[in-house]
Each structure stands twice: as structure tokens, then as C-alpha cells.
Amino acid sequence: MRAHPPTLTARRHGPLKGRVRVPGDKSISHRALIIGALAVGETAISGLLEGEDVLNTAKALQALGAQVERPAAGEWRVRGVGVGGFAASAAPLDFGNSGTGCRLMLGAVAGCPITATFDGDASLRKRPMQRVLDPLQRIGARTLAATAGRLPLTLAGAREPIPIVFEPPVPSAQLKSAVLLAGLAAPGETVVIEAEATRDHTEKMLALFGADVRVEPQGANGRRITLAGQPELTPRPIRVPADPSSAAFPLIAALITPGSDVILDGVMLNPLRAGLITTLREMGASIEQLDTRQEGGEDVADLRVRAGALRGVEVPAARAPAMIDEYPVLAIAAAFAEDTTVMRGLKELRVKESDRLAATAALLRANGIAADIEGDDLIVNGKGRAPGGGLVATHMDHRIAMAALVLGLASEQPVKIDDASFIATSFPGFLDLMRSLGGVLS
Ligand code: S3P
């Protein structure tokens, strides 16, 4: 822990105006590096998110023998080692704050006959890893020390990986992806049966690189994903679209700051990531989609967002996987809506970078907004305005930090956060971008 973490205060000023592009998508950035490292030959990536989480994944891949270079800002080249080809690393792999980097790499290492130690910061050391280790053990990997399912842990990858049929006990793209990445090294078919579909970037990118991946509907909201093992992955250039989870912060800041009119360029609109936009439109938000097009195999559009009145809604639990990272900032929009917003089925928020359910409720209450947790539901009593004036504990969680600052840009009194340093894990340049729109952050 640093002696003096950098505090930051956001305060209300004029409307937000301008046109900006948020950094590249975090999920796609991790996957482009990892799948590039498992391909044979050179993968060129443009628009990679250069946040700390993704940089830690790049370092881990280098430690395992892939060549990773950055010829220019946002431009990356990965020379892969082929499926199953990672070399052992003597030094532990440090994933910092990133659950995605750590869990995807556990899967990628589990299919290789090597041993590696995985570690992370105090937040990541608290997060559950057993959910990933369980299926990886069925594939043939072993954990070498008693870990109680937490980092640090040492994983011995499988010498002869076994293809499995896996039904994730929780809707988690990280868990699905870990199993698919491990299954690459197994002969035969690895199958993941999701009761609720989660973000599909891994299966899409594997297919793009030439793997045989079949995706079929399963039940009401689920999918059955079948991966044929031991493909030769062929590099394809990847252009990373703008991250909808990062775009959520300036987007909601514009909706709740009177008079604002902002355009967010090139935001990815993958349906399994677009739950926030659906919800905000139900709340009455003005979000116009301009120039919808394809970038890097995904639908993207420029979003024109104008401030206006919002009303409270009920957000169904079934929508949670498509907006799992957006609830803290949606709760800020809910505070500025007229009437109550109920967000259902948020159990997974308890195991994010912080207990985000508790941290979001505490953030609101510290700023004079009535919020309750009932079971796994979050209920926000919107009043069309927010008093503000609070000091927010961010708990090493970038999204709690940015949500609190968005609140401060529109609340009556300024909002202060205890530690701004974790914003750099996912959204380097957040402060400059918000200031360029007219936000006052000091
Ligand atoms: C991610 C999946 C989500 C999300 C995280 C990124 C991914 O986690 O919260 O920020 O890239 O696969 P879970 O899959 O654990 O819900």
C-alpha cells in the first residue's frame, strides 16, 4: 500500500460537450494478446488498450516465451508459440488487479506441460479462483500447493490434456474462456454449455484464427459451444473497438449533466455487452446511433448522447451478463432518474475487483442517495438530483472510482474519492478525456 494514494474530486460545472473515443476494449485486448501468443506466426493488433491490466497479460506472455512488441502507441505485434507451446517461467506471473488476465491465462497455461506461479494485488488475492481450477483439474492440470482457491497459486499444466464437457455453475465469460483456452490443447471436442450466454469474444476470435468452433442455442438464454482441439491457429490482424464498459462513464455523465451533448466514437455494440444501452433507453435516455459499421468483426457505432430526464426502471436479472460491469455507473444514472430503479440478480458483483454491490450502495449513501440491497438486488431511490458531498472508498476498484467521479460531475456538492490510481487499470486517459468534455476534476 502506498502511503498517500492520490485522491481526486469531481465538481459540477457547465454542460459536457465534444466528441471523444474511449480506449480499446479490455476483454478483446486480453484475448488478442493471448490468442496471438497461441498462434503460429505474427499477429498485428491495433488500438490495444494500454491499461495496466492488459500490460500485465502482455508481460506474462513474454515470460512464457511469446514475443510481444509495441512498435507504436496502440500498435502491438505478437509472435506466437503455437497451441501448447508456452515455456516455463521461473518468475511468478503478476496479474496485478486483473481477474480476466489471471483466469484466461490459467486456462492457457493449463493446456501446456509447464508449471507457473500466478499472483496479483491485494484485490485479486481475495477473488475466487476455485471456480476456474475445478474444470482445469478435470482437463488434467494440478495445483501444487494448498491454496484454498486463492492467489498466489502454482499450476502444473496437463501433459496430456483431456477434453471435457463443462457447465459453468455461474454465468462467467472468464470461466468459459479459461476452459476453451485449455481445451485448445486437448484432442477431441471441448464443450461448454452456458445456461446464460456471456460475452462471446473468445469463441469469435478463436474462429477468426481458424479454430473449428460451433455455437448453438441452448435453452431460453444459453449457448452450447463446441471447440475442436489442437487446431493450428493462424494469425489475423485485430483492430480493437472502443470499450463499451469505458464509454459508459462519459455516456452517463452526459445524460445527467444538464445541457450536455457528446459523441462517443466507435463504441462496440456486441449484443452480449449492450445491456446498459438497452436499459438507459428504457429509462428514456437520448442515445442516437450514428454510422453503425463493422470493426474487427464487431458492430460499432458512434453514439450521440444528450442530457435529459430519466425515469426509474426494473432491470431484469437475465440482462446482468450483458452489463455486468456497468451497474456501479448505472446506479448513478438511477439516482438522477425520477422514481425507483431495481437492479435484479447482482450476485456476481460481490466477487469483482471489490464487493461492488456493497461498494455501490455505500457510494450512493455517502452522497445522500437512498439505496438498499435486498438479497442480490440493488434498489436506488431516484430523486432527479443528488446531494453529493461525500468521500467515497474505492476499495482498489477502478469502476467504483469512475462511477463516483461521474456522480460528482452532476451532484450539488463535489464528490471526492480516496484513491484514483486504479483507474489506470482499465481507462488510462480517463481524466484528460473527461476534462476535454468540460468536466472539472482536481
Ligand atoms: C470479462 C468478463 C466479466 C467481466 C470482466 C471481463 C471478460 O467477468 O466482469 O470485467 O473479459 O471475460 P466474469 O466473466 O467473471 O463475469
Side-chain angles (χ1 to χ4, degrees), residues 15 22 50 65 73 85 106 175 188 193 204 209 217 219 224 233 259 268 309-310 313 336 359 362 420:
V22 303
E50 296 180 333
L106 280 167
L175 186 45
I193 302 171
K204 282 174 86 172
F209 278 59
R224 179 189 180 93
L233 298 176
M268 178 171 62
L310 300 173
V313 292
F336 283 86

Side-chain angles (χ1 to χ4, degrees), residues 10 22 36 161 192 240 286 305:
V22 303
V192 180
V240 184
S286 163
V305 185

Side-chain angles (χ1 to χ4, degrees), residues 39-64:
V40 176
E42 190 175 275
T43 297
I45 308 166
S46 64
L48 189 87
L49 168 64
E50 296 180 333
E52 286 164 13
D53 281 8
V54 174
L55 298 180
N56 282 324
T57 292
K59 280 184 214 153
L61 292 167
Q62 280 174 322
L64 296 171

Side-chain angles (χ1 to χ4, degrees), residues 69-101:
E69 284 161 15
R70 178 182 185 259
E75 299 293 323
W76 290 66
R77 300 279 177 275
V78 182
R79 187 159 278 280
V81 296
V83 167
F86 285 146
S89 158
L93 309 176
D94 182 358
F95 292 94
N97 196 248
S98 178
T100 307

Side-chain angles (χ1 to χ4, degrees), residues 124-192:
L124 192 55
R125 281 181 170 201
K126 285 192 211 154
R127 298 180 65 187
M129 295 297 154
Q130 196 58 44
R131 50 171 63 183
V132 187
L133 297 175
D134 285 339
L136 297 183
Q137 278 157 355
R138 286 179 53 211
I139 289 171
R142 288 173 303 127
T143 42
L144 294 187
T147 61
R150 297 280 187 277
L151 300 184
L153 65 84
T154 300
L155 188 79
R159 296 204 163 270
E160 289 176 28
I162 302 159
I164 63 168
V165 177
F166 177 57
E167 296 187 41
V170 289
S172 165
Q174 295 178 4
L175 186 45
K176 165 178 65 179
S177 301
V179 169
L180 292 175
L181 291 170
L184 282 174
E189 291 187 336
T190 292
V191 181
V192 180

Side-chain angles (χ1 to χ4, degrees), residues 25-31 53 98-101 103-104 127 131 170-177 198-202 243 245 273 320-321 323-326 348-349 351-353 356 398-399:
D25 185 65
K26 182 154 71 74
S27 294
I28 293 185
S29 294
H30 282 295
R31 287 158 173 83
D53 281 8
S98 178
T100 307
R103 296 203 180 103
L104 267 56
R127 298 180 65 187
R131 50 171 63 183
V170 289
S172 165
Q174 295 178 4
L175 186 45
K176 165 178 65 179
S177 301
T198 62
R199 64 189 74 192
D200 56 0
H201 309 303
T202 303
D243 192 328
S245 300
R273 299 286 299 281
M323 54 177 297
I324 193 67
D325 291 333
E326 281 66 82
E348 276 297 296
L349 286 198
V351 292
K352 294 297 176 187
E353 285 80 334
R356 267 187 196 157
H398 54 129
R399 299 204 198 277

Side-chain angles (χ1 to χ4, degrees), residues 16-390:
L16 301 176
K17 300 233 166 182
R19 180 167 198 145
V20 288
R21 184 180 173 99
V22 303
D25 185 65
K26 182 154 71 74
S27 294
I28 293 185
S29 294
H30 282 295
R31 287 158 173 83
L33 291 172
I34 296 170
I35 294 173
L38 294 172
V40 176
E42 190 175 275
T43 297
I45 308 166
S46 64
L48 189 87
L49 168 64
E50 296 180 333
E52 286 164 13
D53 281 8
V54 174
L55 298 180
N56 282 324
T57 292
K59 280 184 214 153
L61 292 167
Q62 280 174 322
L64 296 171
Q67 277 178 39
V68 184
E69 284 161 15
R70 178 182 185 259
E75 299 293 323
W76 290 66
R77 300 279 177 275
V78 182
R79 187 159 278 280
V81 296
V83 167
F86 285 146
S89 158
L93 309 176
D94 182 358
F95 292 94
N97 196 248
S98 178
T100 307
C102 182
R103 296 203 180 103
L104 267 56
M105 286 300 293
L106 280 167
V109 166
C112 302
I114 59 162
T115 294
T117 297
F118 290 69
D119 205 353
D121 69 11
S123 156
L124 192 55
R125 281 181 170 201
K126 285 192 211 154
R127 298 180 65 187
M129 295 297 154
Q130 196 58 44
R131 50 171 63 183
V132 187
L133 297 175
D134 285 339
L136 297 183
Q137 278 157 355
R138 286 179 53 211
I139 289 171
R142 288 173 303 127
T143 42
L144 294 187
T147 61
R150 297 280 187 277
L151 300 184
L153 65 84
T154 300
L155 188 79
R159 296 204 163 270
E160 289 176 28
I162 302 159
I164 63 168
V165 177
F166 177 57
E167 296 187 41
V170 289
S172 165
Q174 295 178 4
L175 186 45
K176 165 178 65 179
S177 301
V179 169
L180 292 175
L181 291 170
L184 282 174
E189 291 187 336
T190 292
V191 181
V192 180
I193 302 171
E194 293 190 293
E196 290 174 68
T198 62
R199 64 189 74 192
D200 56 0
H201 309 303
T202 303
E203 43 275 44
K204 282 174 86 172
M205 202 180 290
L206 287 174
L208 184 70
F209 278 59
D212 178 0
V213 187
R214 250 182 9 256
V215 181
E216 294 149 311
Q218 173 85 25
N221 299 315
R223 288 185 174 180
R224 179 189 180 93
I225 302 137
T226 306
L227 169 72
Q230 301 182 334
E232 178 159 313
L233 298 176
T234 308
R236 296 293 302 270
I238 302 282
R239 180 154 177 224
V240 184
D243 192 328
S245 300
S246 296
F249 298 101
L251 194 162
I252 288 182
L255 286 177
I256 63 175
T257 306
S260 296
D261 187 351
V262 166
I263 295 179
L264 299 161
D265 276 332
V267 179
M268 178 171 62
L269 295 176
N270 177 312
L272 294 166
R273 299 286 299 281
L276 178 73
I277 307 274
T278 306
T279 303
L280 290 171
R281 285 190 171 137
E282 288 173 1
M283 294 173 82
S286 163
I287 304 171
E288 211 183 321
Q289 228 164 284
L290 313 171
D291 190 17
T292 304
R293 57 200 185 269
Q294 283 261 308
E295 251 178 43
E298 298 283 359
D299 280 342
V300 306
D302 307 329
L303 301 180
R304 180 171 184 193
V305 185
R306 276 172 282 192
L310 300 173
R311 55 182 174 271
V313 292
E314 179 164 333
V315 189
R319 199 178 290 159
M323 54 177 297
I324 193 67
D325 291 333
E326 281 66 82
Y327 286 99
V329 72
L330 174 64
I332 307 304
F336 283 86
E338 294 292 347
D339 223 340
T340 303
T341 293
V342 183
M343 300 167 226
R344 299 215 182 270
L346 307 189
K347 190 159 183 240
E348 276 297 296
L349 286 198
R350 296 189 189 275
V351 292
K352 294 297 176 187
E353 285 80 334
S354 67
D355 176 344
R356 267 187 196 157
L357 191 48
T360 302
L363 183 181
L364 296 171
R365 290 181 192 136
N367 289 287
I369 301 153
D372 286 304
I373 298 171
E374 282 178 15
D376 296 327
D377 302 342
L378 177 64
I379 298 146
V380 180
N381 194 353
K383 292 267 186 265
R385 53 174 278 273

